[in-house]
Amino acid sequence: MLVLLPPSEGKAASGRGAPLKPESLSLPGLAGARAAVLDGLVELCAADEEKARVVLGLSEGLRGEVAKNVELRTAGARPAGELYTGVLYDALDLASLDAAARRRAGKSLLVFSGLWGAVRVGDRIPPYRCSMGVKLPGLGALGAFWRDPMAEAMPEAAGDGLVLDLRSSAYAAAWKPKGAVAERTASVRVLHSQLVDGVEKRSVVSHFNKATKGRMVRDLLLAGAGPKDPAELVTVLRDLGYVVEAHAPARSGRTWELDVVVTEIH
């Protein structure tokens, strides 16, 4: 099983230990594209702080993030699973998993990134600011820039097993499964169900969507679950106590869509 995750804007304040070693990152087929984005980002941030702040979509209060990007090649790095600190990663809580579950996480979790394309949670990277929605001078919109490199690298990463896609739309744009891989892919959204005047109303709530996805991945890792296809995933999630509504694709070459329905949001 390969689990595709979005990154988080929230990151550890600093890395620790040795700086980035690009050659050590997973999915080595992305090396050339990573170098191009890294060069473009560092050049932008070193040349004009104000322009970089605007291009990166940073508020005035986050201006200091531009200077951090300038030092990406020499800053201390830490495992991606420790670097990201947003809602999903807080709920996933990799550090508290038992040893077997952490090994499974290292093999199965893949985090998409505007800067790195995609990394595994054990890959050491420095703190950075560069979302997939950025239009980087010379490269353009990163979501579009990454499509060709990811189309080359991802089928091999996916192998012949299940792909559980938990990415947000901006990161999903960088790679869309096709053909046989798509048929083994399940994308998930979390819906909050509540009764309003006796009528069920459903809505997507961003914060709790992320938290539920983090808990769901954690439960799968702790259970040692290894579903081989979307239909088996539905059974596993239901056994773990989740309310899941499955929507199989109407024709070949399309992905499954799963709705995880929750009545309490926390």
Side-chain angles (χ1 to χ4, degrees):
M1 178 175 64
L2 182 68
V3 182
L4 310 182
L5 299 175
S8 67
E9 289 189 6
K11 298 178 182 70
S14 64
R16 61 185 189 187
L20 171 72
K21 295 181 179 180
E23 69 279 4
S24 72
L25 299 180
S26 302
L27 280 68
L30 299 179
R34 287 170 176 150
V37 179
L38 180 60
D39 288 346
L41 180 61
V42 171
E43 181 179 343
L44 167 70
C45 293
D48 188 329
E49 182 183 88
E50 180 59 20
K51 179 181 178 181
R53 186 183 69 80
V54 173
V55 169
L56 297 175
L58 301 176
S59 67
E60 183 64 36
L62 293 174
R63 181 180 290 273
E65 298 297 304
V66 175
K68 289 183 180 180
N69 279 349
V70 177
E71 306 298 329
L72 281 171
R73 295 189 180 91
T74 56
R78 66 170 65 204
E82 297 178 10
L83 182 73
Y84 297 114
T85 60
V87 174
L88 187 153
Y89 293 89
D90 286 346
L92 175 54
D93 196 8
L94 288 168
S96 70
L97 293 175
D98 60 50
R102 285 198 299 272
R103 286 194 296 272
R104 287 190 284 271
K107 293 178 181 179
S108 63
L109 305 188
L110 195 65
V111 184
F112 273 59
S113 163
L115 175 53
W116 312 113
V119 293
R120 297 195 183 275
V121 292
D123 288 341
R124 296 178 60 84
I125 54 177
Y128 68 95
R129 281 281 181 164
C130 186
S131 72
M132 193 65 80
V134 164
K135 294 182 178 179
L136 205 58
L139 297 180
L142 292 179
F145 170 83
W146 280 110
R147 284 175 194 155
D148 286 345
M150 298 299 286
E152 292 289 330
M154 283 302 299
E156 181 179 354
D160 58 1
L162 169 71
V163 178
L164 174 55
D165 190 352
L166 303 179
R167 298 172 296 166
S168 56
S169 58
Y171 291 89
W175 179 64
K176 295 183 179 180
K178 296 182 179 179
V181 178
E183 295 172 9
R184 291 184 276 105
T185 299
S187 62
V188 174
R189 66 175 180 171
V190 179
L191 299 178
H192 176 218
S193 172
Q194 56 184 329
L195 290 178
V196 180
D197 297 328
V199 178
E200 184 192 26
K201 302 289 186 180
R202 291 183 175 184
S203 60
V204 176
V205 187
S206 178
H207 176 94
F208 304 105
N209 169 59
K210 295 173 184 176
T212 299
K213 287 179 177 178
R215 287 191 289 269
M216 183 173 66
V217 174
R218 179 181 177 84
D219 288 343
L220 288 168
L221 292 171
L222 286 171
K228 295 179 174 57
D229 56 48
E232 193 172 326
L233 172 65
V234 171
T235 299
V236 170
L237 288 175
R238 287 173 176 166
D239 288 344
L240 288 171
Y242 291 90
V243 177
V244 182
E245 296 177 356
H247 308 280
R251 59 180 185 268
S252 61
R254 298 296 181 91
T255 63
W256 284 58
E257 296 179 358
L258 308 184
D259 288 338
V260 175
V261 182
V262 297
T263 55
E264 296 182 3
I265 50 180
H266 54 87

